[in-house]
Amino acid sequence: PANGLLENLWKNHGLSVFTGRLREEAMITLRRFGHTSTFEPVVGDDDVSKGKPDPEGLLKIQAAYPDARLIYVGDTVDDARASRAAAVPFIGIAHPHTHNRDRLLDLFRDERAARIVDDVNELPQALSQLT
């Protein structure tokens, strides 16, 4: 992400993480880049009884912010499927150099992605079209 992107997204929308990795693995990355306070909550695979594409992690985030409108951003079909199962709008990221990108784009469309972007830096515009 470009400098300031995550901070601006956090300020304007709030940010959480639902990852298929262990929560501590996500925290290592967030600490490394100085974003531990930018994402709340962080829900890892060890925080749910079923992994993605089960929506349990998204539902936990939704429960933490019951009055917020959740939008899930991800780069895998399991992200899109979890989002659809939770009835949460999905923005898919499919970088032009992603392996099997055309197939990923088809899968995102099949899962009813609200928007698909090429780059994480396109999120502010995509979010403004959904909110």
Side-chain angles (χ1 to χ4, degrees):
N3 284 338
L5 175 72
L6 295 177
E7 291 81 2
N8 286 332
L9 288 173
W10 173 73
K11 185 174 17 170
N12 294 321
H13 301 283
L15 297 171
S16 298
V17 171
F18 172 35
T19 180
R21 298 192 179 275
L22 300 176
R23 182 175 5 94
E24 183 54 30
E25 289 180 43
M27 294 305 298
I28 289 168
T29 300
L30 294 174
R31 280 192 293 271
R32 184 170 146 208
F33 293 101
H35 291 292
T36 54
S37 62
T38 307
F39 296 89
E40 180 61 39
V42 175
V43 178
D45 195 53
D46 50 331
D47 296 311
V48 296
S49 60
K50 296 180 185 175
K52 291 182 199 178
D54 191 271
E56 183 182 355
L58 287 177
L59 298 175
K60 284 183 177 235
I61 293 169
Q62 204 164 42
Y65 298 99
D67 297 327
R69 179 168 184 243
L70 215 59
I71 298 172
Y72 191 45
V73 177
D75 61 356
T76 71
V77 68
D78 279 352
D79 294 333
R81 288 177 178 154
S83 187
R84 185 163 67 112
V88 169
F90 179 72
I91 298 176
I93 300 176
H95 191 275
H97 299 295
T98 299
H99 181 70
N100 291 327
R101 182 175 190 265
D102 290 338
R103 178 73 178 129
L104 181 61
L105 291 171
D106 288 342
L107 290 168
F108 282 170
R109 289 183 196 105
D110 289 348
E111 295 299 326
R112 300 184 195 111
R115 294 281 182 276
I116 301 171
V117 298
D118 291 338
D119 186 286
V120 69
N121 294 298
E122 297 172 30
L123 284 176
Q125 182 179 2
L127 287 165
S128 72
Q129 294 169 351
L130 293 179
T131 55

mmCIF file of all heavy atoms in Angstrom, residues 4 19 24 35 40 43 45 47-48 53 64 66 79 83 86 98 104 107-109 116 118 129-130:
data_model
loop_
_atom_site.group_PDB
_atom_site.id
_atom_site.type_symbol
_atom_site.label_atom_id
_atom_site.label_comp_id
_atom_site.label_asym_id
_atom_site.label_seq_id
_atom_site.Cartn_x
_atom_site.Cartn_y
_atom_site.Cartn_z
ATOM 1 N N GLY A 4 0.472 6.072 3.876
ATOM 2 C CA GLY A 4 -0.719 6.729 4.393
ATOM 3 C C GLY A 4 -2.034 6.066 4.021
ATOM 4 O O GLY A 4 -3.078 6.426 4.567
ATOM 5 N N THR A 19 -8.210 -13.482 8.890
ATOM 6 C CA THR A 19 -7.205 -14.195 8.118
ATOM 7 C C THR A 19 -7.316 -15.698 8.325
ATOM 8 O O THR A 19 -7.740 -16.148 9.399
ATOM 9 C CB THR A 19 -5.778 -13.721 8.482
ATOM 10 O OG1 THR A 19 -4.815 -14.445 7.714
ATOM 11 C CG2 THR A 19 -5.478 -13.893 9.963
ATOM 12 N N GLU A 24 -1.506 -14.758 15.664
ATOM 13 C CA GLU A 24 -0.156 -14.285 15.981
ATOM 14 C C GLU A 24 0.665 -14.062 14.719
ATOM 15 O O GLU A 24 1.481 -13.137 14.670
ATOM 16 C CB GLU A 24 0.559 -15.242 16.929
ATOM 17 C CG GLU A 24 1.941 -14.760 17.350
ATOM 18 C CD GLU A 24 1.985 -13.349 17.948
ATOM 19 O OE1 GLU A 24 1.002 -12.898 18.570
ATOM 20 O OE2 GLU A 24 3.031 -12.679 17.783
ATOM 21 N N HIS A 35 1.428 -1.395 12.356
ATOM 22 C CA HIS A 35 -0.018 -1.240 12.216
ATOM 23 C C HIS A 35 -0.818 -1.998 13.265
ATOM 24 O O HIS A 35 -1.983 -2.324 13.034
ATOM 25 C CB HIS A 35 -0.462 -1.690 10.820
ATOM 26 C CG HIS A 35 -0.003 -0.789 9.734
ATOM 27 N ND1 HIS A 35 -0.468 0.499 9.584
ATOM 28 C CD2 HIS A 35 0.899 -0.976 8.747
ATOM 29 C CE1 HIS A 35 0.126 1.058 8.551
ATOM 30 N NE2 HIS A 35 0.961 0.188 8.023
ATOM 31 N N GLU A 40 -8.561 -3.600 14.254
ATOM 32 C CA GLU A 40 -9.201 -4.096 15.470
ATOM 33 C C GLU A 40 -10.615 -4.540 15.133
ATOM 34 O O GLU A 40 -11.394 -3.740 14.613
ATOM 35 C CB GLU A 40 -9.212 -3.004 16.525
ATOM 36 C CG GLU A 40 -9.834 -3.386 17.833
ATOM 37 C CD GLU A 40 -9.128 -4.530 18.537
ATOM 38 O OE1 GLU A 40 -7.898 -4.602 18.521
ATOM 39 O OE2 GLU A 40 -9.838 -5.379 19.092
ATOM 40 N N VAL A 43 -8.883 -11.286 13.686
ATOM 41 C CA VAL A 43 -9.451 -12.615 13.868
ATOM 42 C C VAL A 43 -8.649 -13.582 13.008
ATOM 43 O O VAL A 43 -8.595 -13.432 11.782
ATOM 44 C CB VAL A 43 -10.944 -12.651 13.481
ATOM 45 C CG1 VAL A 43 -11.510 -14.063 13.634
ATOM 46 C CG2 VAL A 43 -11.742 -11.656 14.311
ATOM 47 N N ASP A 45 -7.281 -17.798 12.214
ATOM 48 C CA ASP A 45 -7.821 -19.145 12.079
ATOM 49 C C ASP A 45 -7.978 -19.827 13.430
ATOM 50 O O ASP A 45 -8.881 -20.642 13.618
ATOM 51 C CB ASP A 45 -6.920 -19.974 11.157
ATOM 52 C CG ASP A 45 -7.578 -21.241 10.692
ATOM 53 O OD1 ASP A 45 -8.704 -21.169 10.152
ATOM 54 O OD2 ASP A 45 -6.972 -22.319 10.883
ATOM 55 N N ASP A 47 -9.021 -18.424 16.037
ATOM 56 C CA ASP A 47 -10.129 -17.790 16.751
ATOM 57 C C ASP A 47 -11.496 -18.306 16.307
ATOM 58 O O ASP A 47 -12.521 -17.863 16.818
ATOM 59 C CB ASP A 47 -10.092 -16.271 16.537
ATOM 60 C CG ASP A 47 -8.852 -15.643 17.125
ATOM 61 O OD1 ASP A 47 -8.535 -15.936 18.293
ATOM 62 O OD2 ASP A 47 -8.193 -14.862 16.409
ATOM 63 N N VAL A 48 -11.497 -19.190 15.308
ATOM 64 C CA VAL A 48 -12.749 -19.704 14.762
ATOM 65 C C VAL A 48 -12.749 -21.225 14.798
ATOM 66 O O VAL A 48 -11.695 -21.861 14.816
ATOM 67 C CB VAL A 48 -12.980 -19.201 13.317
ATOM 68 C CG1 VAL A 48 -13.150 -17.682 13.301
ATOM 69 C CG2 VAL A 48 -11.857 -19.618 12.387
ATOM 70 N N PRO A 53 -13.854 -21.116 3.808
ATOM 71 C CA PRO A 53 -14.769 -20.023 3.521
ATOM 72 C C PRO A 53 -15.924 -19.860 4.505
ATOM 73 O O PRO A 53 -16.846 -19.091 4.251
ATOM 74 C CB PRO A 53 -15.294 -20.357 2.125
ATOM 75 C CG PRO A 53 -15.286 -21.832 2.065
ATOM 76 C CD PRO A 53 -14.083 -22.247 2.899
ATOM 77 N N ALA A 64 -18.596 -7.432 16.915
ATOM 78 C CA ALA A 64 -17.820 -6.419 17.637
ATOM 79 C C ALA A 64 -18.258 -5.005 17.255
ATOM 80 O O ALA A 64 -18.080 -4.070 18.044
ATOM 81 C CB ALA A 64 -16.328 -6.602 17.350
ATOM 82 N N PRO A 66 -21.661 -3.933 15.832
ATOM 83 C CA PRO A 66 -23.003 -4.246 15.326
ATOM 84 C C PRO A 66 -23.661 -3.119 14.529
ATOM 85 O O PRO A 66 -24.525 -3.390 13.697
ATOM 86 C CB PRO A 66 -23.798 -4.571 16.590
ATOM 87 C CG PRO A 66 -23.029 -3.956 17.710
ATOM 88 C CD PRO A 66 -21.596 -3.935 17.279
ATOM 89 N N ASP A 79 -12.043 -15.884 0.429
ATOM 90 C CA ASP A 79 -12.454 -14.599 0.996
ATOM 91 C C ASP A 79 -13.831 -14.205 0.452
ATOM 92 O O ASP A 79 -14.717 -13.794 1.203
ATOM 93 C CB ASP A 79 -11.448 -13.501 0.652
ATOM 94 C CG ASP A 79 -10.086 -13.686 1.292
ATOM 95 O OD1 ASP A 79 -10.002 -14.314 2.369
ATOM 96 O OD2 ASP A 79 -9.107 -13.195 0.711
ATOM 97 N N SER A 83 -17.374 -13.940 2.541
ATOM 98 C CA SER A 83 -18.102 -12.688 2.499
ATOM 99 C C SER A 83 -19.558 -12.907 2.078
ATOM 100 O O SER A 83 -20.490 -12.390 2.702
ATOM 101 C CB SER A 83 -17.393 -11.734 1.524
ATOM 102 O OG SER A 83 -17.967 -10.470 1.560
ATOM 103 N N ALA A 86 -21.617 -14.517 4.735
ATOM 104 C CA ALA A 86 -21.934 -13.602 5.837
ATOM 105 C C ALA A 86 -22.846 -12.460 5.390
ATOM 106 O O ALA A 86 -23.184 -11.596 6.196
ATOM 107 C CB ALA A 86 -20.653 -13.030 6.429
ATOM 108 N N THR A 98 -1.335 -11.609 -11.051
ATOM 109 C CA THR A 98 -1.772 -12.761 -10.265
ATOM 110 C C THR A 98 -1.840 -13.996 -11.152
ATOM 111 O O THR A 98 -2.367 -13.944 -12.267
ATOM 112 C CB THR A 98 -3.171 -12.478 -9.657
ATOM 113 O OG1 THR A 98 -3.081 -11.351 -8.793
ATOM 114 C CG2 THR A 98 -3.693 -13.684 -8.888
ATOM 115 N N LEU A 104 -9.534 -16.249 -11.434
ATOM 116 C CA LEU A 104 -9.879 -15.568 -10.183
ATOM 117 C C LEU A 104 -10.960 -14.521 -10.418
ATOM 118 O O LEU A 104 -11.911 -14.420 -9.638
ATOM 119 C CB LEU A 104 -8.632 -14.923 -9.559
ATOM 120 C CG LEU A 104 -8.838 -14.205 -8.229
ATOM 121 C CD1 LEU A 104 -9.331 -15.171 -7.156
ATOM 122 C CD2 LEU A 104 -7.542 -13.526 -7.787
ATOM 123 N N LEU A 107 -14.221 -16.251 -10.723
ATOM 124 C CA LEU A 107 -14.691 -16.714 -9.419
ATOM 125 C C LEU A 107 -15.222 -15.561 -8.573
ATOM 126 O O LEU A 107 -16.248 -15.694 -7.901
ATOM 127 C CB LEU A 107 -13.573 -17.454 -8.686
ATOM 128 C CG LEU A 107 -13.195 -18.805 -9.289
ATOM 129 C CD1 LEU A 107 -11.886 -19.316 -8.682
ATOM 130 C CD2 LEU A 107 -14.307 -19.816 -9.095
ATOM 131 N N PHE A 108 -14.525 -14.425 -8.582
ATOM 132 C CA PHE A 108 -15.017 -13.244 -7.851
ATOM 133 C C PHE A 108 -16.393 -12.841 -8.369
ATOM 134 O O PHE A 108 -17.304 -12.536 -7.596
ATOM 135 C CB PHE A 108 -14.045 -12.069 -7.986
ATOM 136 C CG PHE A 108 -12.827 -12.133 -7.105
ATOM 137 C CD1 PHE A 108 -11.791 -11.237 -7.307
ATOM 138 C CD2 PHE A 108 -12.697 -13.058 -6.087
ATOM 139 C CE1 PHE A 108 -10.664 -11.256 -6.500
ATOM 140 C CE2 PHE A 108 -11.574 -13.085 -5.270
ATOM 141 C CZ PHE A 108 -10.550 -12.180 -5.487
ATOM 142 N N ARG A 109 -16.569 -12.828 -9.680
ATOM 143 C CA ARG A 109 -17.873 -12.477 -10.256
ATOM 144 C C ARG A 109 -18.932 -13.509 -9.858
ATOM 145 O O ARG A 109 -20.066 -13.139 -9.525
ATOM 146 C CB ARG A 109 -17.765 -12.359 -11.770
ATOM 147 C CG ARG A 109 -16.990 -11.145 -12.215
ATOM 148 C CD ARG A 109 -16.971 -11.014 -13.748
ATOM 149 N NE ARG A 109 -15.936 -10.100 -14.153
ATOM 150 C CZ ARG A 109 -14.778 -10.461 -14.704
ATOM 151 N NH1 ARG A 109 -14.513 -11.721 -14.972
ATOM 152 N NH2 ARG A 109 -13.881 -9.549 -15.022
ATOM 153 N N ILE A 116 -14.181 -5.156 -8.048
ATOM 154 C CA ILE A 116 -12.907 -5.848 -8.213
ATOM 155 C C ILE A 116 -11.896 -4.799 -8.623
ATOM 156 O O ILE A 116 -12.148 -4.010 -9.547
ATOM 157 C CB ILE A 116 -12.977 -6.961 -9.283
ATOM 158 C CG1 ILE A 116 -14.049 -7.985 -8.907
ATOM 159 C CG2 ILE A 116 -11.608 -7.628 -9.444
ATOM 160 C CD1 ILE A 116 -14.340 -9.008 -10.000
ATOM 161 N N ASP A 118 -7.549 -3.815 -9.229
ATOM 162 C CA ASP A 118 -6.250 -4.367 -9.597
ATOM 163 C C ASP A 118 -5.207 -4.206 -8.499
ATOM 164 O O ASP A 118 -4.212 -4.919 -8.469
ATOM 165 C CB ASP A 118 -5.693 -3.669 -10.843
ATOM 166 C CG ASP A 118 -6.472 -3.989 -12.104
ATOM 167 O OD1 ASP A 118 -7.168 -5.021 -12.150
ATOM 168 O OD2 ASP A 118 -6.377 -3.192 -13.061
ATOM 169 N N GLN A 129 -17.591 4.165 -3.766
ATOM 170 C CA GLN A 129 -18.693 3.755 -4.642
ATOM 171 C C GLN A 129 -19.684 2.850 -3.929
ATOM 172 O O GLN A 129 -20.809 2.695 -4.386
ATOM 173 C CB GLN A 129 -18.128 3.045 -5.882
ATOM 174 C CG GLN A 129 -17.322 3.958 -6.761
ATOM 175 C CD GLN A 129 -16.552 3.194 -7.841
ATOM 176 O OE1 GLN A 129 -16.487 1.975 -7.830
ATOM 177 N NE2 GLN A 129 -15.970 3.943 -8.773
ATOM 178 N N LEU A 130 -19.268 2.261 -2.815
ATOM 179 C CA LEU A 130 -20.147 1.352 -2.069
ATOM 180 C C LEU A 130 -20.797 1.995 -0.851
ATOM 181 O O LEU A 130 -21.737 1.434 -0.305
ATOM 182 C CB LEU A 130 -19.355 0.123 -1.609
ATOM 183 C CG LEU A 130 -18.871 -0.811 -2.703
ATOM 184 C CD1 LEU A 130 -18.077 -1.956 -2.105
ATOM 185 C CD2 LEU A 130 -20.026 -1.345 -3.512
#
